[in-house]
Amino acid sequence: MGTKIEDVTKDSGYKFGWNDPDFKAVNEPVKGLSKDVVLGISELKDEPAWMRDFRLKAYNHWLERPMPTGFWGGNIQNYDLDFDDIYYYVKPVAEQGKTWDDVPAEIKRTFDKLGIPEAERKFLSGVEAQYDSEVVYHNIREDLKKQGVIFMDTDSALREHPDLFREYFGTIIPPNDNKFASLNSAVWSGGSFIYVPKGVKVEMPLQAYFRINTENMGQFERTLIIADEGSDIHYVEGCTAPTYSSDSLHSAVVEIIVKKGAHVRYTTIQNWSDNVFNLVTKRMAVYGEAVGEWVDGNLGSKLTMKYPSTYLLEPGAHGEILSLAMAGPGQHQDAGGKCIHAAPYTTSVINSKSVSKGSGRTSYRGQLKVYPGAKGVKATVRCDALLLDEESRSDTYPLMDIDEQHVTIGHEASVSKLGEDQLFYLMSRGMDEAEAAKMIVNGFVEPIVKELPMEYAVELNRLIELQMEGSVG
Amino acid sequence: MNNNGGSMASNNETLFRVEHLHVSVENTEILKGVDLVVNRGEVHALMGPNGSGKSTLANSIMGHPRYKVTQGKVLFNGNDVLPLTPDKRAQLGLFLAFQYPVGIPGVVMGNFMRAALKARRGEDVPVREFRKLLDETLDLLKMDPSFVRRYVNEGFSGGEKKRAEVLQMAMLKPEMAVLDETDSGLDIDALKIVAEGINALRGPDLGVLVITHYQRILDYITPDKVHVLFDGRIVKSGGPELVHELEERGYDWITNPEASGAGPEAVAAGKENA
């Protein structure tokens, strides 16, 4: 009711696909990657020599490493992504805004449309907004600032907190970790830097929003979160991009340190347009009695390759990965997670849910590793896939590498098709087929969605419904 | 109590008519020409041994895609509903209480009920009105309020599933309800509660077809008419007294008249009545 068939067919279900035609970068972006481009970025940012050298070293790794064709990857080599046709640095503003009024009108309009300033007023401890290559706005509540919480873009942190920055930057994900970590390390720009002092508990989430605007954009934000002993932080990131006929690239690196007794939750609601390659490396180091959690929602993009990892390094550390993937026609969500148990009495849970429709493909790719001597480890992996039709596809690649006997490991996997009997049951109660299918899908992903703060749960359900539009019948 | 007497409400207006219905499942014909008329206000019982086609009839009436109708009609208020998808049939006021209600993980009963009620009424139901109706119905069926926060049919006991079906029937207020073995798997207390719930819904506007293998539920819900389905056809119809006859003599005297000594005329007479 109310929805006309034209609305559904015209609209692919993606409602963030607009762009800002008035936008003009303040630098003169060039396509392609070279040593000069890398040096140019460093120079423009007026970086210390160590960072320039770090970038150059990473650039050499990028050149040396082949495209991943092994276990970790969603067959990127089968796509014709042209790295020479990408802008590696697009500077949106001369200076970051301290208030939303400082942000250029056309950029602010974008974030208004995305509901960011409103969310900031209502339920966030702080917000950061990145547009193409740079953060255009960030703010954190005064009381948190007074308690010593640092939340700013990563470039500013390098300038304002150089020692803290250098102590941790690149320590969790070294620049030669994988091809795309090398790429990010060479050309990184923007991202969030967070430090939460000992014992400080940040009750409401900090949120970052990453928006791509320019066609053929490469966005390479770099995030570093340090949760000191006994602290508590929930960080949420969202991302969208305009729909273009040519490819864009998003390749982030996220490093997180969760010290003794601390708790970090990192929530992602990735909703890139379906021309974006999303190739991201995310890793957490979790120390004694600390808890590190990834809540990873992947709805958009052309190809996502992302396996958030949790390294449990001291006894009592607990890791949790909740992964949700939805792949529509032409999309491949190659997602999952890794839990590495490097200390005794560490525990972890991986729970993955994926939904495929049309020619969409989801893959669960995961690793569970237990080092020798890590006795008393308890770990469970559960992955469920739901296929909405005959064309959709799902695969499971669970890697288990257990080098210790005294451990408890559980693994369950299921693939189900949207059930005829479930549909019939709901339809016999008056719901049409599309509504019934939506209800079943929303129920299927509910165990993940219920982990989100209410506002995001509502938003995620809405996004899922948008993706479901026109998928049945 | 004693609201279970028959015929109190029939006004001889045809509400629901199955005409010469043939249904196949995976190319095997299960229903071989079923005829049945339920007037507005009447409660009919459809009995029969296992494999006679009872559940096939129930699923075909509601439009399950696995059941292929090859011939015949299902008329509801004079209109053939066979071309309609199940949701359209439900919106018109047909209801099926399932023998085996399927679980739907992650979908909360309360949300599901609200969506179903919206579909049935064709408009949103204000929260307060919905809550009131839900509370009253839960009370009627002696169900715990926490029930509405559980996932649809997930981890329900047999009795809870059946009660949930009757709960839905009570809230959606259909004009014609088919209850497919709603009594099976219930202990005697649960059976009484479910039967009382159904009796409370009886009235001049509702038609009910109670499908059952056993006469047990019919001790509590007195039907106006009773039909016996065997091998895809209704082979005997009669009044409530037929229930007791079946109780005493089993199905054999109808389904296998030679062996039980009943003449073939009895079968023929049954057919005519149908």
mmCIF file of all heavy atoms in Angstrom, chain B residues 49 164 211:
data_model
loop_
_atom_site.group_PDB
_atom_site.id
_atom_site.type_symbol
_atom_site.label_atom_id
_atom_site.label_comp_id
_atom_site.label_asym_id
_atom_site.label_seq_id
_atom_site.Cartn_x
_atom_site.Cartn_y
_atom_site.Cartn_z
ATOM 1 N N PRO B 49 -9.507 -41.413 9.068
ATOM 2 C CA PRO B 49 -8.276 -42.064 9.482
ATOM 3 C C PRO B 49 -7.056 -41.361 8.895
ATOM 4 O O PRO B 49 -7.175 -40.502 8.011
ATOM 5 C CB PRO B 49 -8.413 -43.478 8.917
ATOM 6 C CG PRO B 49 -9.409 -43.380 7.826
ATOM 7 C CD PRO B 49 -10.312 -42.233 8.149
ATOM 8 N N ALA B 164 -1.463 -21.029 20.709
ATOM 9 C CA ALA B 164 -1.059 -19.847 19.927
ATOM 10 C C ALA B 164 -1.891 -19.748 18.651
ATOM 11 O O ALA B 164 -2.232 -18.652 18.196
ATOM 12 C CB ALA B 164 0.421 -19.921 19.587
ATOM 13 N N ILE B 211 -11.087 -30.263 11.966
ATOM 14 C CA ILE B 211 -10.548 -31.505 11.398
ATOM 15 C C ILE B 211 -9.894 -32.291 12.512
ATOM 16 O O ILE B 211 -9.072 -31.751 13.270
ATOM 17 C CB ILE B 211 -9.507 -31.174 10.302
ATOM 18 C CG1 ILE B 211 -10.208 -30.469 9.142
ATOM 19 C CG2 ILE B 211 -8.798 -32.437 9.831
ATOM 20 C CD1 ILE B 211 -9.282 -30.037 8.032
#
